[in-house]
Amino acid sequence: MIGDNVKETQHKRIMTANERFLSLPDFVQTMEQLDKACHDFDHEKVREILITAPTDFQPTDGIGDLVWNAKKALDQQVEDSNVVHLKEHVS
């Protein structure tokens, strides 16, 4: 279970909790936002949505996607580079 308010029930091995949840319209909106962010490969947006939603998602480290991290590092190298990209000449 997620949350700190876990309670016992009549059965010693069954627990219950009053966890936060989204209304159905809020849930649908959040899922649509996540779907778009996933299709756009926008890992930072996915993380932001999960952090701001009432999911108790509290990441302890950065984004761990190897492909995304490699692309981010490559993009940073290009930004820090002295190379000037010439525009293609269109005839």
Side-chain angles (χ1 to χ4, degrees), residues 31-61:
M31 291 298 104
E32 288 171 352
Q33 291 173 343
L34 278 172
D35 186 56
K36 181 177 179 347
C38 288
H39 283 274
D40 293 343
F41 297 100
D42 190 345
H43 292 67
E44 291 172 330
K45 184 66 175 177
V46 169
R47 184 181 178 100
E48 175 189 322
I49 293 167
L50 292 174
I51 289 171
T52 57
T55 59
D56 291 328
F57 177 65
Q58 299 172 349
T60 57
D61 53 3

Side-chain angles (χ1 to χ4, degrees), residues 1 5-17:
M1 289 196 183
N5 54 354
V6 177
K7 297 177 184 172
E8 293 182 0
T9 64
Q10 291 179 347
H11 191 284
K12 65 181 179 178
R13 301 187 98 189
I14 298 176
M15 305 297 281
T16 185

